[in-house]
Amino acid sequence: MVNLKAWKEVGGFDESLFIDAVDNDFCAALMRKGYFNYQINFVGFIQEIGHATKHHFIYKDVYTLNHSAFCRYYIARNNMLIARRYGAETNSVLRELMYRCREIIIIILFKKNKMAKLNNYFRGIIDGMTKNTVRRNYLKNLR
């Protein structure tokens, strides 16, 4: 549920984010304007994110969501954009970069289609750091 007055005050949703983190950006924009966000842990809607698989690595289980190369770009780009926009209100850029490095290691160790995913992930990080929100032609065939 969204307070429409608050939604209008922050300029609505950033449609340039496209696939990933639109809600995170909206919540950060609300907090910046002094609004509070409330979380309801279950409201009857289940969303499957990727296709989770479990991998055993040394002494620990690692779960991966197996997003497509297409989605990997937007995950990296949008989370970097949000870190740049809101800094301490969400994740700092440094913390976000560290998380992205962790994801790169997971892609290398456990994912299929590694090169396409890594290529898009790096492009997403770069575009997020440079605040580039133009949709890329090279993504159209990577679904």
Side-chain angles (χ1 to χ4, degrees):
M1 296 188 324
V2 175
N3 177 326
L4 289 179
K5 178 183 172 246
W7 181 82
K8 289 177 184 174
E9 189 174 333
V10 300
F13 298 109
D14 181 351
E15 293 181 15
S16 72
L17 296 180
F18 184 50
I19 285 180
D20 194 71
V22 176
D23 51 346
N24 296 345
D25 177 72
F26 180 66
C27 289
L30 288 170
M31 290 188 311
R32 182 173 272 178
K33 291 282 190 176
Y35 287 95
F36 293 95
N37 293 295
Y38 297 97
Q39 178 178 330
I40 300 171
N41 289 331
F42 184 77
V43 293
F45 179 76
I46 298 173
Q47 177 184 5
E48 183 178 328
I49 302 172
H51 299 285
T53 55
K54 178 178 162 182
H55 308 273
H56 191 72
F57 184 68
I58 303 175
Y59 63 90
K60 187 174 180 176
D61 289 333
V62 177
Y63 293 88
T64 61
L65 295 176
N66 301 307
H67 293 97
S68 69
F70 178 81
C71 289
R72 285 276 159 200
Y73 170 82
Y74 287 102
I75 290 168
R77 186 198 73 173
N78 294 355
N79 284 288
M80 291 307 303
L81 281 169
I82 291 168
R84 295 271 325 248
R85 270 184 205 160
Y86 301 105
E89 296 163 52
T90 58
N91 277 341
S92 70
V93 173
L94 181 59
R95 185 173 177 180
E96 192 62 42
L97 279 171
M98 289 172 45
Y99 185 78
R100 297 297 134 214
C101 288
R102 177 185 173 275
E103 287 295 301
I104 289 166
I105 292 168
I106 288 172
I107 291 170
I108 291 168
L109 291 175
F110 302 115
K111 305 290 180 135
K112 295 177 183 172
N113 198 13
K114 294 175 192 317
M115 291 311 294
K117 289 179 182 180
L118 287 170
N119 186 32
N120 276 12
Y121 213 64
F122 284 120
R123 288 178 180 188
I125 291 168
I126 291 165
D127 284 354
M129 291 298 291
T130 59
K131 301 182 182 179
N132 185 350
T133 58
V134 175
R135 287 212 194 137
R136 300 297 197 166
N137 289 334
Y138 54 72
L139 296 173
K140 64 184 175 188
N141 296 322
L142 295 174
R143 290 183 188 255

